[in-house]
Amino acid sequence: MGESGSGKSVSSMAVMGLHTSRSARISGSIRLDGQELVGAKQDDVRRLRGQKMAMIFQDPLSAMHPFYTVGNQIIEAYRIHNQVSKKAARAHAIDMLDRVGIPEPRSRIDAYPHQFSGGMRQRAMIAMALSCDPSLLIADEPTTALDVTVQAQILDLIRDLQQEFDSAVVIITHDLGVVAELADDIVVMYAGRGIEQGSAEAIFNAPEHPYTWGLLGSMPRFDRPPTERLLPIKGTPPSLIRVPSGCAFNPRCEFSDRVRGDACTTERPELLPAGSGTGAHVGHGAACHLPTAERQQVWAQEISPRLA
Amino acid sequence: MTTPTTDRHADGATPAPDGDVLLSVEGLVKHFPIKGGFLRRGRTAVQAVDGVDFSVRRGETFSIVGESGCGKSTTARLVTRLLEPTGGTVRFDGQDITHLSEGRMRPLRRDIQMIFQDPYSSLNPRHTVGKIVGAPFRLQGVEPEGGRKQAVQDLLELVGLSPEHYNRYPHEFSGGQRQRIGIARTLALKPRLIVADEPVSALDVSIQAQVVNLLEDLQEELGLTYVMIAHDLSVVRHVSDRVAVMYLGKIVEVADRDDLYDRPHHPYTVAMLSAVPVPDTGRRQNRERIRLQGDVPSPINPPPACRFHTRCWKAQEVCRTEEPPLVPLGGPSHLVACHFPENVTPATPVSTPTPTA
Ligand SMILES: Nc1ncnc2c1ncn2[C@@H]1O[C@H](COP(=O)(O)OP(=O)(O)OP(=O)(O)O)[C@@H](O)[C@H]1O
Ligand SMILES: Nc1ncnc2c1ncn2[C@@H]1O[C@H](COP(=O)(O)OP(=O)(O)OP(=O)(O)O)[C@@H](O)[C@H]1O
Ligand code: SF4
Ligand code: SF4
Ligand SMILES: [Mg+2]
Ligand SMILES: [Mg+2]
């Protein structure tokens, strides 16, 4: 999770191998099931895409071709990776549409994307993404454009399908409620970097980064009595062309004066282990110059009471 | 400019004394004819708003929520007279403004202002901030005390921008700052009613909070009345005094904020509230969520009687044949349009229907 422009989509597109070498330089390491993807041959990554990993986007229309029927697009996607007859692929597509909750899939399969409502298009795209039973599904803001009732259907669907297919899901969103409902582990991004990560419990109940505190204070809590005032983060997110030196959050941070010297403006804090609980797969970590003990104290004594 | 009338309607949505009501809407209808008429030639229309009643008291925040396409923005544009109503009446401060000519409407434009969702497209990119915020003075031919420039700089300060921003252009500002510029322009003529259509939904979470706080401060300082449209039900609960829920062009429930969130009566409201994702990792397992089946029907050919019956788990035969009126339930200020409301005390004589779905 993270604000607009923090690098969520760019990161996930890197995993999917969707950046071209002309538009982006990618360094570091991405391993899928042990296989290194950075520097791997385009063809190899393309084969993995759809087969082992798939992605769904905020706007289904951008992922679907307007001139082909929904069914044909799922059939195509399936036949690229599976040597089956057209008839078998069609049966599979009907089955997939049925499983994502499209009513009367047998007749709906021949509809064009624009003949579906927003929620149905999102379902159809999920059906397409899951048609090859990928082990990794990346969902980039899958419900941002949808109404709450439809959003709830799609979130339930993703959760059910995850259990059924036993796949790993990366969900990208700025909605903390959606995160809390779906995620086991969370990475909070700011200005192109992960600045805090940990189990969902750690991030919501014992966060240690001042930006994470700010996010939690900015949104009204649906599950608690209304507060008098929201607690916004001052200032605005930085431009990634001129990222502030040192800690990118320093121009907006209320706590930088508690760090000795000028480390906040001169030295970029590394993502280091943080004190409280660990996630199932990632440990709790935060990138901030404040000592862990002090962060925990600030959270417990100053931040947490203000949010209640 | 307003003509005081004694003829104020005692509509059900207004339990408060008459003088408290700033805006009242009765039987409001907007049908958009469909060109070409491919079904019944010439006769088809999008029934975007189809008989809406509500009233807004001075100084309160009245919010309208509901699914995409249910008619919220259309209602906002009818109330501000950016659209011509097909039927019904709109009264502002007692005066019937439903069909006022543009000329007769002009003085009222100072009192009624609108804030739009998109802080990018609603500001002219070629105009300076000073020109944008000062535009209402020019359009209305108003010469504020101390001059226009001073007035604009005061407004910029009021919304938390710097007076030095006067000569800058919109593209030099962030989304939140642009929304502030839009709000400053809205406030130029000291309006009494502000209709805000999704004022924060295009903004980042951390910026949303700044704008929400600003709107609340301005309301307190200037005694503003707000009609707020938003799809984020957490934001709506934070800002509202009263909330109306729309479904397919009709209001299905209106109540004080806490009544609506704590004791929703209409099945659609109940389903909608149960669907809001809650930022509490501990609540994941033990939440009852109502899964609504199917999609919102088309407003071109809405279901008869109760429009929600195609998706309602409580629907009975009567729901398909008789339209439930919007009437008080459990108190004068909580109105609901449903034959079999939820969350009613057992004493209330409501039959317990067997679910059909
Ligand atoms: N093809 C591109 N060329 C140049 N810059 C890009 C490109 N794609 C993205 N960016 C920039 O990279 C940064 C990160 O963008 P990204 O799309 O990952 O943000 P995000 O976190 O997904 O935001 P949002 O919540 O708005 O979707 C932004 O500053 C964006 O302008
Ligand atoms: N100018 C128009 N011509 C024809 N139909 C219209 C027009 N404006 C709105 N509509 C239709 O009227 C209905 C209500 O639209 P409206 O914009 O009021 O919905 P809304 O509740 O604001 O939705 P959203 O939450 O998506 O903004 C929709 O079906 C819409 O397509
Ligand atoms: S490193 Fe400094 S500026 Fe950055 S979050 Fe920590 S205290 Fe704030
Ligand atoms: S009137 Fe009937 S169909 Fe409509 S909301 Fe009530 S119970 Fe459901
Ligand atoms: Mg993105
Ligand atoms: Mg709208």
Side-chain angles (χ1 to χ4, degrees):
Chain A
M1 66 193 217
E3 280 177 278
S4 181
S6 59
K8 306 182 296 294
S9 299
V10 167
S11 307
S12 53
M13 284 165 69
V15 173
M16 294 291 292
L18 292 175
H19 295 296
T20 63
S21 53
R22 261 184 302 120
S23 72
R25 270 200 318 275
I26 295 172
S27 57
S29 169
I30 300 166
R31 275 191 299 274
L32 180 68
D33 232 349
Q35 186 180 351
E36 179 61 54
L37 300 185
V38 175
K41 277 206 222 73
Q42 287 265 358
D43 282 350
D44 293 344
V45 178
R46 194 173 306 132
R47 201 165 322 114
L48 290 172
R49 194 160 68 221
Q51 203 171 43
K52 268 196 158 174
M53 55 184 181
M55 186 159 173
I56 55 179
F57 303 87
Q58 173 174 349
D59 175 15
L61 280 181
S62 68
M64 296 178 102
H65 200 290
F67 299 147
Y68 293 97
T69 64
V70 169
N72 275 335
Q73 298 186 54
I74 300 176
I75 290 167
E76 271 309 297
Y78 187 58
R79 292 213 332 148
I80 290 176
H81 301 287
N82 296 274
Q83 307 293 334
V84 294
S85 71
K86 265 222 162 105
K87 205 168 153 216
R90 187 178 165 88
H92 181 71
I94 291 173
D95 180 43
M96 288 309 301
L97 288 175
D98 190 34
R99 272 150 92 172
V100 299
I102 301 273
E104 299 165 53
R106 221 163 279 281
S107 57
R108 293 298 202 142
I109 188 169
D110 294 316
Y112 291 88
H114 73 265
Q115 294 173 312
F116 277 12
S117 70
M120 283 168 76
R121 279 199 288 265
Q122 202 60 267
R123 284 163 191 274
M125 185 166 55
I126 293 174
M128 195 154 88
L130 292 179
S131 64
C132 295
D133 194 3
S135 36
L136 173 70
L137 175 70
I138 302 182
D140 191 351
E141 308 265 10
T143 61
T144 304
L146 304 174
D147 288 311
V148 278
T149 51
V150 186
Q151 165 171 287
Q153 294 171 351
I154 300 290
L155 294 182
D156 284 346
L157 174 66
I158 292 176
R159 203 181 350 227
D160 293 349
L161 293 171
Q162 175 178 27
Q163 278 178 5
E164 195 183 324
F165 290 79
D166 195 27
S167 42
V169 173
V170 175
I171 181 150
I172 297 173
T173 175
H174 58 261
D175 186 326
L176 298 168
V178 171
V179 175
E181 296 240 340
L182 273 188
D184 301 305
D185 296 306
I186 297 171
V187 176
V188 183
M189 290 193 71
Y190 190 79
R193 295 183 156 263
I195 51 93
E196 181 159 13
Q197 66 176 43
S199 66
E201 284 73 26
I203 298 296
F204 279 95
N205 304 327
E208 290 198 24
H209 196 284
Y211 173 65
T212 313
W213 298 340
L215 275 186
L216 294 176
S218 298
M219 53 155 204
R221 287 286 295 245
F222 191 76
D223 53 333
R224 299 196 184 148
T227 51
E228 270 304 301
R229 270 181 94 70
L230 301 176
L231 307 164
I233 305 173
K234 67 173 195 216
T236 51
S239 142
L240 294 195
I241 297 170
R242 268 177 293 132
V243 180
S245 62
C247 170
F249 188 55
N250 83 69
R252 306 176 72 190
C253 184
E254 280 182 64
F255 300 94
S256 53
D257 56 0
R258 301 194 194 182
V259 172
R260 242 186 286 148
D262 54 3
C264 288
T265 51
T266 56
E267 208 179 301
R268 191 173 66 215
E270 292 301 317
L271 188 68
L272 297 173
S276 59
T278 47
H281 306 292
V282 281
H284 189 183
C288 170
H289 289 305
L290 285 170
T292 297
E294 190 172 346
R295 296 194 303 241
Q296 286 171 354
Q297 201 183 347
V298 172
W299 166 254
Q301 290 174 4
E302 299 176 40
I303 310 293
S304 178
R306 278 198 273 165
L307 301 183
Chain B
M1 270 319 290
T2 49
T3 357
T5 42
T6 44
D7 167 40
R8 279 212 193 82
H9 277 239
D11 79 57
T14 321
D18 277 350
D20 272 1
V21 173
L22 183 63
L23 173 76
S24 75
V25 164
E26 275 165 58
L28 193 64
V29 173
K30 182 68 189 180
H31 288 181
F32 294 105
I34 297 172
K35 287 184 213 95
F38 36 87
L39 289 176
R40 278 165 287 151
R41 199 172 313 151
R43 283 245 168 257
T44 34
V46 181
Q47 304 176 20
V49 172
D50 204 31
V52 157
D53 303 272
F54 63 87
S55 42
V56 182
R57 299 171 205 149
R58 284 170 220 281
E60 83 168 336
T61 300
F62 181 85
S63 291
I64 305 177
V65 301
E67 255 161 330
S68 180
C70 70
K72 304 181 295 294
S73 297
T74 305
T75 303
R77 298 168 68 85
L78 289 168
V79 161
T80 48
R81 285 293 320 278
L82 296 173
L83 278 176
E84 190 68 21
T86 310
T89 43
V90 179
R91 280 193 182 76
F92 179 74
D93 207 10
Q95 183 185 3
D96 186 338
I97 63 165
T98 321
H99 298 290
L100 278 193
S101 65
E102 193 42 49
R104 304 239 352 248
M105 196 56 208
R106 188 164 304 131
L108 285 170
R109 293 252 173 253
R110 300 177 59 163
D111 289 338
I112 306 173
Q113 290 283 332
M114 189 150 172
I115 300 176
F116 296 93
Q117 168 173 358
D118 190 353
Y120 301 90
S121 65
S122 57
L123 305 179
N124 187 329
R126 283 184 300 276
H127 288 179
T128 62
V129 168
K131 189 159 182 192
I132 291 169
V133 175
F137 295 131
R138 264 196 323 281
L139 292 174
Q140 290 273 349
V142 174
E143 195 54 50
E145 230 176 289
R148 284 184 194 170
K149 179 161 185 184
Q150 186 56 48
V152 168
Q153 291 184 328
D154 289 347
L155 285 165
L156 291 177
E157 236 174 331
L158 185 65
V159 299
L161 294 169
S162 156
E164 281 114 60
H165 289 146
Y166 190 87
N167 285 317
R168 309 258 294 268
Y169 289 87
H171 73 260
E172 300 174 57
F173 293 87
S174 70
Q177 288 174 318
R178 284 184 230 206
Q179 196 57 293
R180 284 164 190 267
I181 295 169
I183 292 171
R185 174 179 58 187
T186 302
L187 293 174
L189 300 170
K190 300 199 171 55
R192 293 196 284 158
L193 175 70
I194 290 185
V195 178
D197 191 356
E198 304 274 8
V200 298
S201 46
L203 305 174
D204 267 321
V205 217
S206 74
I207 310 299
Q208 276 189 12
Q210 296 175 0
V211 174
V212 164
N213 283 353
L214 171 67
L215 289 171
E216 288 184 336
D217 291 346
L218 292 171
Q219 179 166 47
E220 198 155 299
E221 232 165 280
L222 308 173
L224 297 171
T225 305
Y226 290 138
V227 171
M228 201 80 88
I229 289 167
H231 68 266
D232 184 327
L233 293 165
S234 311
V235 170
V236 167
R237 187 173 73 151
H238 183 85
V239 301
S240 312
D241 296 303
R242 287 191 305 141
V243 180
V245 181
M246 280 185 82
Y247 187 80
L248 268 182
K250 289 183 185 288
I251 289 182
V252 296
E253 185 161 9
V254 196
D256 290 341
R257 188 236 346 239
D258 291 342
D259 285 341
L260 189 97
Y261 280 80
D262 296 343
R263 248 166 293 105
H265 288 327
H266 197 281
Y268 174 65
T269 314
V270 173
M272 187 178 68
L273 292 175
S274 83
V276 176
V278 171
D280 180 348
T281 51
R283 297 259 299 255
R284 235 191 287 195
Q285 283 78 21
N286 43 29
R287 265 186 94 214
E288 270 300 315
R289 171 173 293 156
I290 296 161
R291 294 188 188 204
L292 279 187
Q293 300 303 314
D295 291 302
V296 198
S298 156
I300 297 171
N301 194 8
C306 175
R307 293 185 169 186
F308 188 54
H309 80 243
T310 54
R311 300 168 78 198
C312 183
W313 66 98
K314 299 183 90 181
Q316 299 289 301
E317 194 47 38
V318 61
C319 306
R320 288 180 266 272
T321 53
E322 238 172 80
E323 180 170 352
L326 186 67
V327 290
L329 179 66
S333 60
H334 196 149
L335 283 76
V336 61
C338 172
H339 293 304
F340 309 105
E342 291 275 287
N343 292 321
V344 282
T345 44
T348 321
V350 171
S351 63
T352 36
T354 42
T356 49

